[in-house]
Amino acid sequence: MFLPTNKKFMGISEVKKSLRNSYIILSVCAVYTIAVIAACMYVPKASSYAYALYDKKGILIGAQVAADGQWRFEPSTVPTKFEQCIIQFEDSRFYYHRGIDVLSLARAFRDNSSSNRIVSGGSTITMQTARLLMGNKKRTYSQKIKEALFAEFLEWRFSKKQILSIYSSNAPFGGNIIGLEAASWRYFNRAPHDLTWAESATLAVLPNQPSLVKPGYNADILLKKRNFLLQKLHSKGIIDSKTLELSLQESLPGKPYNLPMIAPHFLFYEKAHAAKGQTKFYSTLDSSLQTKVTRLTENWSKKFSALGIENAAAFVIDTKTKNILAYVGNTYSGRRNLKTKDVDMVQAHRSSGSLLKPFLYAAMIDSGKMLPEQLVIDIPTRMGSYVPENNIKQYSGVVPASTALTQSLNIPAARELRVYGVTPFLDYLKRCGFTTFNKTGAYYGIPLILGGGETTLYEITNVYASFMNRALDEESAASFPASVGVSYITLKTLSEGNRPLDEAQWQRYANSKRIAWKTGTSSGNRDAWCIGTTPEYTVGVWVGNAEGNGTINLTSATTAAPVLFDIFSILPSTSFPQEPVMNLKHVKICAKSGYLAGPDCTSIKMIHKPEGAPMSAACPYCRTVTLTHDKKFQATQEDLINEYKNTELIKEKYFVLPTWLERWYVKQDVSYLKLPSFVPWHKGTDTKSFEIVFPEENAIIIIPIEITGKQGAVVFEAAAKKSNSVLYWDIDGEFIGQTQYIHSKEVSPPSGKHTLTITDNTGTIQRRNFFVK
């Protein structure tokens, strides 16, 4: 075969060499391809990030150091000023290379070779990012090659902006300060986007030599580097001459600031509810309001500590949106409360005290079981083995329901709950938004309304806000079980009603700002609450001891209430809902009893009830009676003998309470006119000459065993119109004694059903069935 003379056959060694070179090239390409694919799948992440809490404007208000003890925040966007500074100082060709700047590397190689040591790195920002992500190992040529290759990978995987963000978040800024955001807050106490050109330039030169920021050391070197960079920015036309002049006059940072921590408990709350890996929390907190509420709560708590009351919490939300504006989980200044300062009392489960009474008031009215001003019973009461008591052991006999609510009387509330039912009320509370009352009605019983269940400041404040939103007919509160009408009536009552004497001073303030508010003190004086709501803000305050110990000095009127009204004093002006005319209905009621007016009621007035609520009962207390012409006695036509012979009976309308209520009522209403007794010779019996106070019909009574092991006893009571009446008592036909003047009897019947029979000296008989367990 003819072969061209200018061509040669390849020898065996040349073929092997060619194959080897091809293999190397293919291997490098394969490794490069695999590395690129790996880089595209790799998301660089620091070993741990610090937790950061921001207010509604994006201002850092709380931070907790990362697990490795470094102040390092998650990557975020880089401000324009810092971006310009860091690029001009570290890598002016950043946006023009693909991770490796050959010119910079050649220059670095030349400088290092001539000096026989590393004096110039030649690293791009991407390569420096690679070095940071690879653990910032010792600088060697081999390490530089690894970083260069990894830089290539980063350029494939991320945009230039992302690389700059990763670098800025992982660069060292001295000590345990890692990343731009931590440095900005530590050195200048402001966010990176708020830094000046001089401040941005200062931070831009630090990753190159982070040790320059030690207070009292190297200030001249740091200043020289910063000013060099500022001059470069000016020469490049990035800043003007005036900016340069002002920037050069700015001082260097001094001792690092402590990172802000004005809402520590809220940060811990956010951490507990965060998604996996989340370390930044953007809240709706108002940093200015948070600071004020914290300071105010702390000042009050210091005063309370002298009374043995160590903890307090405050919670402020926007009523309509439920956005959290201020969150003070506990008080802890001045080295107080070292054992309990970390307990978040906004989230702690505590006895609700009297805070549920407005919801029961609304439920009773909406269901037609009561009208807003209807008289409710307020006398010493026993419900089986449970004996509720008013906070102040005074009783009115009967009192308007609205007054019972604003004066927070326990007896009327307990009796109302017995009428409404504990289980239906629990369901009502759940529909209001409560989640903490998760036991059965049998578990809570009647004590539920007086603090027998636990809630949290967070939850109760939110539910009161829903109450206000329902009164405003907000769509967000459409599922709230109270009607628009009763919500308005209830909140109006809470904003205007008469208060106990110890709350009178706060009533005047609340009236001036139209705040619907309710206090609550738990059994044993362990918790003091005050919740206030307006269409704009809802505020909740809790005061007490986190460890649960009570003190006689802990009352809501003297602790929680003043804190609440101080908080409202620093809030902007508020309003009150307009009367929802379409959701209310005018009804005529008896002015004395508050029931629907009946034919025998003499004083009538108009009030609102919720539109759609069932009609309640007519007045049971007003009646027409016949009297002798001198009005001294009741009488019938047959009684007109003796001195009343040939006289005429007259008819009068009276407001008459049952004897067992009358004996209490006359003590607080001196204008009450008792119904005259019958003429002495009246042959009929006065069925109301006395009444049984306790037990009530079909009462279930639990009689405890005494500590000695003997069967205990229960006290039955009756009330007679005439002070000298004699009452004769028997149980199941067995006579057990008689009473005069004071009608009470201590008895100890066995378990089972019994009948109590009482007869007076006029022959009137009253009976009550009861059960003993």
Side-chain angles (χ1 to χ4, degrees), residues 235-253:
S235 67
K236 295 283 187 178
I238 297 172
I239 61 174
D240 57 29
S241 299
K242 186 64 175 178
T243 302
L244 173 63
E245 179 185 353
L246 294 174
S247 298
L248 291 173
Q249 294 175 12
E250 290 189 30
S251 59
L252 294 174

Side-chain angles (χ1 to χ4, degrees), residues 177-458:
I177 303 171
I178 306 296
L180 172 63
E181 186 171 6
S184 179
W185 283 103
R186 288 284 275 159
Y187 295 132
F188 298 107
N189 198 32
R190 60 175 66 91
H193 288 82
D194 295 327
L195 295 177
T196 65
W197 279 106
E199 291 166 344
S200 297
T202 301
L203 295 184
V205 303
L206 280 180
N208 187 265
Q209 282 184 277
S211 61
L212 294 181
V213 292
K214 291 182 180 180
Y217 297 92
N218 305 318
D220 54 338
I221 301 176
L222 178 59
L223 183 64
K224 184 178 179 179
K225 283 177 172 286
R226 184 203 72 173
N227 289 349
F228 168 79
L229 177 55
L230 289 171
Q231 294 284 0
K232 186 175 181 180
L233 292 171
H234 177 256
S235 67
K236 295 283 187 178
I238 297 172
I239 61 174
D240 57 29
S241 299
K242 186 64 175 178
T243 302
L244 173 63
E245 179 185 353
L246 294 174
S247 298
L248 291 173
Q249 294 175 12
E250 290 189 30
S251 59
L252 294 174
K255 182 180 179 180
Y257 292 91
N258 290 323
L259 286 177
M261 196 61 163
I262 66 173
H265 297 90
F266 187 64
L267 175 57
F268 299 147
Y269 170 76
E270 289 283 66
K271 283 175 56 182
H273 296 82
K276 185 177 181 180
Q278 182 182 2
T279 60
K280 283 191 172 183
F281 307 103
Y282 295 92
S283 73
T284 56
L285 290 177
D286 181 319
S287 57
S288 175
L289 181 63
Q290 175 72 25
T291 300
K292 292 176 182 177
V293 173
T294 299
R295 184 186 306 118
L296 184 154
T297 309
E298 287 284 0
N299 289 341
W300 276 106
S301 187
K302 287 178 184 176
K303 296 178 182 179
F304 301 150
S305 65
L307 304 174
I309 305 165
E310 298 297 341
N311 306 95
F315 186 53
V316 183
I317 63 175
D318 180 298
T319 298
K320 290 185 179 179
T321 65
K322 305 285 188 70
N323 287 340
I324 301 172
L325 304 179
Y327 189 113
V328 181
N330 210 325
T331 48
Y332 51 87
S333 65
R335 296 189 61 79
R336 294 186 304 109
N337 314 334
L338 295 180
K339 289 174 59 179
T340 58
K341 65 183 179 64
D342 294 328
V343 180
D344 185 354
M345 299 311 300
V346 173
Q347 302 295 335
H349 287 229
R350 307 291 293 204
S351 166
S352 60
S354 297
L355 295 181
L356 302 183
K357 290 176 181 176
F359 302 94
L360 179 59
Y361 177 79
M364 288 286 288
I365 295 172
D366 256 348
S367 63
K369 293 179 171 62
M370 187 174 74
L371 286 173
E373 297 179 22
Q374 181 175 311
L375 291 180
V376 292
I377 295 172
D378 179 33
I379 62 171
T381 299
R382 177 185 290 270
M383 300 179 180
S385 61
Y386 180 56
V387 183
E389 294 181 338
N390 289 335
N391 293 324
I392 300 176
K393 294 183 180 180
Q394 296 177 354
Y395 305 93
S396 301
V398 288
V399 63
S402 56
T403 301
L405 173 62
T406 57
Q407 294 195 350
S408 203
L409 300 178
N410 291 340
I411 300 296
R415 298 179 75 100
E416 287 167 24
L417 183 55
R418 184 171 59 178
V419 171
Y420 191 84
V422 178
T423 298
F425 186 56
L426 274 174
D427 178 67
Y428 186 89
L429 292 176
K430 290 175 183 176
R431 288 185 287 135
C432 286
F434 288 103
T435 62
T436 53
F437 303 116
N438 50 20
K439 303 292 194 303
T440 65
Y443 175 87
Y444 291 113
I446 298 298
L448 172 65
I449 197 62
L450 306 181
E454 293 184 336
T455 187
T456 68
L457 185 59
Y458 183 95

Side-chain angles (χ1 to χ4, degrees), residues 452-474:
E454 293 184 336
T455 187
T456 68
L457 185 59
Y458 183 95
E459 187 162 273
I460 193 75
T461 306
N462 273 279
V463 175
Y464 267 79
S466 296
F467 214 162
M468 177 59 75
N469 284 331
R470 187 59 172 152
L472 294 165
D473 202 10
E474 291 286 334

